[in-house]
Amino acid sequence: MDPSAPPPHYPNADSDDWTPYEKRLDFETAEFLFKHNQMSGGDIDFLFSLWVASLAVHDDNPLFASHNDLYDTIDATLLGDVPWESFSARYNGAKPDGKIPSWMTADFDVWFRDPHTVVKNLLSNPDFDNEFDYTPFQERDTEGNHRFQDFMSGNWAWKQAVQYTVIFTVSTVF
């Protein structure tokens, strides 16, 4: 596959396919607990233990066995073909005399997906056609004052674009 080509798009995907979730209820439960409520792992396990008790009379199982099962399912959710990457970071500044806070000596794992590839995939996704303007522009009034209205009208976006190509300034009277 050409590395500059956009990722494949599957517009006719089965709307009942909630993989890696068994069904929509599983997905919505995970989204609610993890994203909306941001419930702690201990509280998730407590809630699941209540579900186990309530479902036992029906000889049924809860949607997830534990918060680890929930997290593993979330981690298995496909979000495109951009792999996860990580690095470790540690504070390396001056430390106070006496008791040193634990965060100053701890290692922290930072997980991310390559932002360049994520944005490239987003821009090439036909689902977003005509949904947002990704072209930097500068708008000025008749007196030459720069009018800022959103991110793409800002100086940073403009400077990034003019490093690689010539962009024409749009003059508008308002």
Side-chain angles (χ1 to χ4, degrees):
M1 180 174 171
D2 178 6
S4 64
H9 180 66
Y10 306 103
N12 297 323
D14 182 3
S15 63
D16 289 333
D17 181 9
W18 292 93
T19 305
Y21 307 90
E22 289 187 30
K23 54 191 172 291
R24 181 178 181 162
L25 178 62
D26 297 19
F27 170 80
E28 289 183 358
T29 300
E31 183 181 40
F32 174 75
L33 295 175
F34 188 78
K35 182 179 173 187
H36 295 289
N37 188 269
Q38 299 181 8
M39 191 177 285
S40 71
D43 285 350
I44 290 171
D45 286 342
F46 180 77
L47 177 63
F48 289 166
S49 71
L50 294 175
W51 279 351
V52 166
S54 69
L55 294 170
V57 297
H58 304 288
D59 197 30
D60 202 357
N61 296 313
L63 305 176
F64 302 97
S66 67
H67 75 277
N68 287 325
D69 183 29
L70 172 74
Y71 296 163
D72 289 345
T73 304
I74 291 169
D75 288 343
T77 304
L78 295 177
L79 298 173
D81 59 355
V82 184
W84 283 102
E85 299 178 51
S86 69
F87 64 88
S88 291
R90 174 182 271 219
Y91 176 75
N92 63 2
K95 295 182 177 120
D97 293 331
K99 186 173 180 176
I100 298 173
S102 61
W103 66 266
M104 286 186 160
T105 59
D107 287 324
F108 297 93
D109 292 329
V110 178
W111 286 88
F112 65 98
R113 293 178 190 253
D114 177 38
H116 180 265
T117 306
V118 169
V119 171
K120 180 180 171 185
N121 288 355
L122 176 70
L123 295 175
S124 66
N125 186 331
D127 289 341
F128 293 104
D129 279 352
N130 301 314
E131 294 298 322
F132 61 92
D133 185 5
Y134 51 85
T135 305
F137 65 95
Q138 289 190 347
E139 189 172 68
R140 299 186 183 278
D141 63 18
T142 56
E143 297 169 6
N145 298 312
H146 188 171
R147 179 179 177 211
F148 298 95
Q149 64 186 39
D150 58 32
F151 178 78
M152 297 311 281
S153 69
N155 288 328
W156 184 87
W158 179 262
K159 288 176 184 173
Q160 295 304 306
V162 297
Q163 288 182 42
Y164 304 106
T165 186
V166 176
I167 306 290
F168 295 99
T169 303
V170 175
S171 296
T172 306
V173 177
F174 54 91

